[in-house]
Amino acid sequence: MDSITDNHNAGLTDGMHLMVDALKANGVKTIYGVVGIPVTDLARHAQASGIRYIGFRHEQSAGHAAAITGFLTKKPGVCLTVSAPGFLNGLVALAEATVNGFPMIQISGSSNRNIIDLQQGDYEGLDQMNIAKPFCKAAYRINRPEDIAIGLARAIRASLSGRPGGVYLDITTEMLSMTMDMAEAQASIFTPIDPSPVLSPSSTSVNRALKLLSNARKPLIILGKGAAYAQADEAIKEFIEKSGIPYLPMSMAKGLLPDDHPQCAASARSLVLSQADVVMLIGARLNWLLNHGKGKKWNPDAKFIQLDICAEEMDSNRPIDAPVVGDIASSIDKMICKMEPFEISCSQEWRRMIDEVKKVNADKMRIKLNKPTSPMNYFNALKVISDVMSSHKDVYIVNEGANTLDNTRNIINMYHPRLRLDTGTWGVMGIGMGYSIGAAVTSGKQVLAIEGDSAFGFSGMDIETICRYKLPVTVIVFNNDGIYRGDGVNQGGGADPSPTTLTPGARYDRMIEAFGGVAFNATKTVELEEALCAALASKRPTLINCVIDPSVGLESGHIGNLNPHSSIK
Ligand code: ADP
Ligand code: MG
């Protein structure tokens, strides 16, 4: 403290203070992190200067909170980590943010360069910037306080421009305590102008796309999380409604238009993929989640239009007949402006085919949802949640697991954009508490996390963070005693539990009691309903242990085909 005061009196500042000043000047409202050497004081000072600091129990969750903040706000979320292990823990979230296209910046303290570069074994010495490079869009290191403003501007631009993603920003221990003239330091701070520039598509590309669409007999629009990120909600709705074309929302695009919209084809997915003759992708990639746009799920003669900001995404999995490279807001606006002469419409026959399949599938689903069982299964439990949530349509839903993910995605309708936050492009576990905290902090709204018991384990300790900051988060753990299901057997006949088995009868609800949160153990649908209603009414941190039959659940959920050697089908 003394040296800080001395610096101040001498008209000096240091790297740590300047870093916070630059973050603040660039509109960073929240830092998510875990403190330790050498960034503890940076967090203290950030808090003192009015930036909200949310301290986590694990860097991966802090990183996920930053990533989802980026997705929700179109500004990079910021995560702060300590050197070596803390940095590495955060890297998972940084890699996922990059794969998902969410803007975030992981700022990490690092040890002394001269010792690291000669590999002399410093405390937590690791060549962090070079390790981070393959996991993010860009990685930079700031070695001198006079480079802070430029370093941060580069990080902000890299995270936001083009396809958004994760950026790594290394701040060295030496740099944090290096001094600099206060007036010069303040003068160096700036905010980058137009860090996510508009990219308007060419008229040729838009006309080509509209022409293709106008010749379609069975057109289909697929909305991806890029469309949700773009916040062009009204324009997308206008284009879909004016054209009358059915649409399929990818998981995190659910709610961009309400799931009960008459043009929503979510419950006729197999039909529309196998029959559509012209498919227009809006901010959705033809990756594994769409079977790469080829193979037996798809109409082999389908033609593709793709709206994406990233030119090299085109033809990545199959030829694209009408690429439209631009940001989604500009692209959709241009398509709306130019659509009239093309007379784009959708045949009644195609719509009727889809409606019939929707009805058959809805009837089948209704039977499953209404069938009582003891213990509960995914369907009757999710029916309760769905009914309660239909009068809480503005609550965020965070969702991860295998069967818990697949079934929740299918059963819980979304009505507003960007409220469904889930495992994303890699379909991975571990986002639960991080996304819940990020969404609650960023929006001030309520969050319901619907978690498989195994999925919850990857970030469960951060329920302490939820309680400490008194966030309005309710966690429901679908507890079927295991990974996929809880009835696995040790095939060697030994006493150890099987690889997929977790503690039978575990009481996850008791965990939150340790931190002053509200706990429920629900073994019947009425108990689940009461617990969820109470949780939503109280807005207090709540965990509901929802007991599910251990013998229900498919191995790997809906992607068992990716698990070819599984002995249990
Ligand atoms: P999903 O998994 O929901 O199908 P993806 O993550 O595969 O979605 O695809 C999102 C796509 O959206 C990415 O290819 C990304 O480049 C693109 N994208 C993201 N933001 C924008 C934007 N503002 N304008 C245009 N394209 C965008
Ligand atoms: Mg399970």
Side-chain angles (χ1 to χ4, degrees), residues 14 33 138 249 269 281 312 371 379 455 505:
D14 61 25
R269 182 186 165 97
L281 301 158
E312 66 262 37
K371 191 172 167 206
F379 296 100

Side-chain angles (χ1 to χ4, degrees), residues 74 99-101 162-164 222-227 229-231 250-253 282-287 289-290 306-310 313 326-329 331 424-425:
K74 297 184 90 177
V99 165
N100 285 326
R163 174 185 288 161
I222 298 182
L223 299 172
K225 60 184 171 301
Y229 174 80
Q231 298 194 13
M250 299 299 287
S251 192
M252 283 180 69
I282 308 181
R285 284 170 286 187
L286 283 177
N287 53 21
L289 291 160
L290 285 168
Q306 184 160 22
L307 273 59
D308 205 293
I309 200 157
C310 183
E313 183 58 35
D327 71 89
I328 283 165
S331 305
T425 300

Side-chain angles (χ1 to χ4, degrees), residues 378 404 452-454 478-486 502:
Y378 288 102
T404 307
D453 49 353
S454 150
F478 271 64
N479 186 357
N480 68 350
D481 297 348
I483 301 174
Y484 309 130
R485 50 200 280 168
L502 298 169

Side-chain angles (χ1 to χ4, degrees), residues 161-188:
S161 58
R163 174 185 288 161
V167 175
Y168 176 64
L169 190 59
D170 195 274
I171 50 176
T172 66
T173 304
E174 302 103 310
M175 192 286 290
L176 287 170
S177 53
M178 277 182 202
T179 56
M180 186 178 170
D181 177 76
M182 178 85 81
E184 269 177 44
Q186 290 304 319
S188 73

Side-chain angles (χ1 to χ4, degrees), residues 309-428:
I309 200 157
C310 183
E312 66 262 37
E313 183 58 35
M314 306 299 164
D315 307 328
S316 57
N317 284 269
R318 56 157 300 138
I320 297 297
D321 304 274
V324 179
V325 176
D327 71 89
I328 283 165
S330 306
S331 305
I332 290 287
D333 280 349
K334 215 159 177 174
M335 290 192 82
I336 292 171
C337 285
K338 289 174 170 283
M339 76 193 280
E340 210 178 281
F342 289 94
E343 293 182 2
I344 294 185
S345 64
C346 181
S347 75
Q348 287 307 314
E349 189 200 338
W350 178 224
R351 290 277 295 273
R352 211 167 20 240
M353 268 174 86
I354 296 168
D355 286 345
E356 271 167 30
V357 171
K358 276 170 73 172
K359 192 179 169 306
V360 170
N361 287 344
D363 289 345
K364 275 194 215 153
M365 181 59 93
R366 198 169 306 112
I367 292 169
K368 283 195 205 171
L369 293 178
N370 287 313
K371 191 172 167 206
T373 58
S374 180
M376 288 183 274
N377 64 21
Y378 288 102
F379 296 100
N380 47 40
L382 280 164
K383 161 83 163 55
V384 169
I385 299 172
S386 168
D387 288 348
V388 173
M389 296 315 286
S390 67
S391 49
H392 292 87
K393 290 179 178 163
D394 60 343
V395 171
Y396 282 91
I397 305 260
V398 170
N399 186 203
E400 62 178 336
N403 294 276
T404 307
L405 176 80
D406 294 331
N407 293 318
T408 302
R409 190 202 305 116
N410 289 347
I411 293 166
I412 308 280
N413 275 352
M414 303 306 298
Y415 301 92
H416 299 292
R418 293 171 294 281
L419 289 187
R420 186 183 154 83
L421 312 173
D422 69 23
T423 53
T425 300
W426 274 346
V428 286

Side-chain angles (χ1 to χ4, degrees), residues 140 142 145-156 169 188-190:
Y140 305 104
I142 302 175
E146 52 265 47
D147 294 330
I148 285 175
I150 293 287
L152 186 59
R154 300 213 71 189
I156 291 171
L169 190 59
S188 73
I189 293 176
F190 72 103

